[in-house]
Amino acid sequence: MSKIRLGLSTVLMLILLGIFSAVAFAEDGVPPTSTNPAPGIHVGDVDNFGNKSTHKTHGNFQNNTNSCANCHSTHNGEDEMLLMKEGEYELCMSCHDGTMGFYDVTKSSGAGTFDDSHLSSSMHNVDSNLQVKAAPGAVKNTSTAVLECSSCHNPHGSANDRLLKETVIGTAPFAYNPTTLVSVPVGTKTINLALTDDPEYAAINALTGTGGLKITKSIGPKDSLDKQYYSQFCSACHDDYYAKRSSGRPSNSTKTDSHDYLFSHTTNSTSNGRNCAACHYAHGTDVTTLTDALGQKVADLTKPVADGGKYGWTQEKAEAYMKDVSAKGSSLKKYTNMAICFACHATSISTTVDPQYIGPDGKFIGRQYIR
């Protein structure tokens, strides 16, 4: 008899659980809808012109917007800007830590990652009270502002992709016309990224249709001029790193010798399209985002051979191989150590890691790329 009661109780519990699950399913906005594409993110159906609305949480606001309340509290703000959270970083991360926002800045993306839980982590630390003028390569940059998310992004909208600001610490981009530099007016899109639909959000992208809200992936600036604009953006703070390879700059030496100059990789070339994003991530890096000269990441090295992987290494071995051992840290780099040199300059690159560089205990003890 007790077994029968237990069985009936279990059935009743499962029925109730199913009812509550269905309610939660609907309240969470899953599957996504045009007005609630993610939990807690609410947008309108119709825009100012009677068309399907494309306004978002950040910018492109319509006259019927409900987006302000996603970040600001009219009567109970945590600071003088009426932010919902105490501090800009806390507010941004309340969505962009993967819980609500479409773009999770704690995992690898086209911008890198804000995540210091792995080896070789290095990032633009927007939660440290670091002054903007502390940027490496800052010479003309004397800004005493604190580095925050809004140092690079405009939370209320921008003509640029990814809400990147149109002026950074008062510096606007310049265009060639074709022999003179002309300041680009605010409202002109200069950061044009190579964007493609993110397959992880195919359901939402299908709902919004052509011209609507699209969740995208990016591999960085698109064309040659876009790459130059991108480097101008970075050089607003890192001004000493914006240079042509052939244009030397005086060193800190007291010598007056005309050969006493420092030289750099080109970062402002329109013809070759070299730019900061070729070697660095905008947000940050760690051992999981770093690549070797072949573009292989830890995930590629640990992929089982049975599933098409080349190595099938353990996580420990793969991370030991990919770890950046530089004394200065990984400096937001895309490539581990100096692998970027081989990626561009090697005439012949090995397609595998030479077995002689794996120690008797199975740990990686060296690198060989060229044969």
Side-chain angles (χ1 to χ4, degrees):
M1 192 67 177
S2 61
K3 290 183 178 179
I4 295 176
R5 288 199 197 97
L6 179 61
L8 291 174
S9 299
T10 302
V11 171
L12 179 59
M13 181 181 71
L14 290 173
I15 292 173
L16 290 173
L17 180 61
I19 293 172
F20 285 117
S21 296
V23 173
F25 184 85
E27 287 180 348
D28 282 346
V30 181
T33 66
S34 61
T35 57
N36 190 9
I41 302 298
H42 305 285
V43 295
D45 264 338
V46 179
D47 68 14
N48 300 342
F49 305 100
N51 302 317
K52 184 177 178 62
S53 178
T54 59
H55 78 261
K56 308 173 185 179
T57 297
H58 299 289
N60 194 25
F61 303 125
Q62 307 298 339
N63 294 331
N64 63 344
T65 186
N66 189 48
S67 295
C68 303
N70 288 328
C71 296
H72 300 277
S73 175
T74 309
H75 297 293
N76 297 294
E78 293 286 345
D79 64 9
E80 67 275 10
M81 301 304 292
L82 303 182
L83 296 180
M84 299 278 284
K85 298 289 183 179
E86 188 175 2
E88 183 176 309
Y89 176 78
E90 288 75 14
L91 178 68
C92 297
M93 291 301 289
S94 67
C95 282
H96 293 289
D97 60 355
T99 56
M100 289 173 61
F102 299 118
Y103 300 111
D104 182 358
V105 298
T106 65
K107 70 177 184 179
S108 177
S109 69
T113 178
F114 282 125
D115 189 356
D116 59 0
S117 62
H118 294 90
L119 293 169
S120 303
S121 63
S122 170
M123 64 199 68
H124 275 108
N125 198 336
V126 291
D127 187 32
S128 64
N129 292 319
L130 185 71
Q131 289 189 339
V132 172
K133 68 178 182 181
V139 177
K140 297 178 182 177
N141 164 21
T142 58
S143 173
T144 58
V146 173
L147 179 67
E148 297 186 279
C149 303
S150 62
S151 298
C152 295
H153 301 277
N154 185 344
H156 294 132
S158 165
N160 291 326
D161 286 338
R162 292 292 191 261
L163 301 178
L164 289 170
K165 297 179 76 169
E166 294 161 54
T167 62
V168 184
I169 58 172
T171 302
F174 288 87
Y176 287 105
N177 192 29
T179 57
T180 58
L181 287 174
V182 179
S183 181
V184 177
V186 172
T188 304
K189 182 176 183 178
T190 56
I191 306 298
N192 184 33
L193 303 177
L195 302 174
T196 57
D197 286 7
D198 191 331
E200 290 188 22
Y201 296 98
I204 292 177
N205 287 339
L207 276 174
T208 56
T210 305
L213 171 69
K214 292 293 181 183
I215 312 305
T216 58
K217 297 178 67 174
S218 171
I219 57 172
K222 192 174 183 181
D223 299 316
S224 291
L225 187 58
D226 300 319
K227 293 173 181 178
Q228 186 188 47
Y229 280 139
Y230 191 92
S231 290
Q232 286 184 24
F233 184 95
C234 299
S235 69
C237 297
H238 307 275
D239 53 90
D240 198 35
Y241 294 161
Y242 187 64
K244 292 182 178 179
R245 182 180 62 185
S246 59
S247 301
R249 62 191 191 281
S251 71
N252 292 326
S253 171
T254 56
K255 295 180 181 179
T256 57
D257 191 321
S258 61
H259 296 290
D260 185 34
Y261 279 83
L262 301 176
F263 291 85
S264 171
H265 273 87
T266 299
T267 58
N268 63 352
S269 168
T270 55
S271 57
N272 294 320
R274 300 186 194 94
N275 71 107
C276 307
C279 301
H280 302 276
Y281 286 114
H283 285 174
T285 191
D286 64 16
V287 74
T288 66
T289 59
L290 289 167
T291 69
D292 65 9
L294 295 173
Q296 299 174 131
K297 297 188 177 185
V298 166
D300 300 311
L301 301 172
T302 57
K303 185 176 182 180
V305 175
D307 295 336
K310 186 184 293 185
Y311 305 99
W313 286 358
T314 64
Q315 187 74 16
E316 181 184 16
K317 182 187 290 188
E319 290 190 1
Y321 166 76
M322 202 64 70
K323 178 182 177 182
D324 192 291
V325 297
S326 305
K328 293 183 179 179
S330 50
S331 302
L332 284 69
K333 291 191 302 186
K334 289 187 173 181
Y335 291 80
T336 187
N337 293 289
M338 302 310 294
I340 184 64
C341 302
F342 286 135
C344 288
H345 297 288
T347 56
S348 175
I349 302 178
S350 168
T351 58
T352 60
V353 178
D354 197 309
Q356 70 173 307
Y357 287 82
I358 305 298
D361 59 354
K363 292 185 177 181
F364 181 78
I365 57 174
R367 288 173 172 78
Q368 176 169 318
Y369 293 115
I370 301 180
R371 286 179 176 171

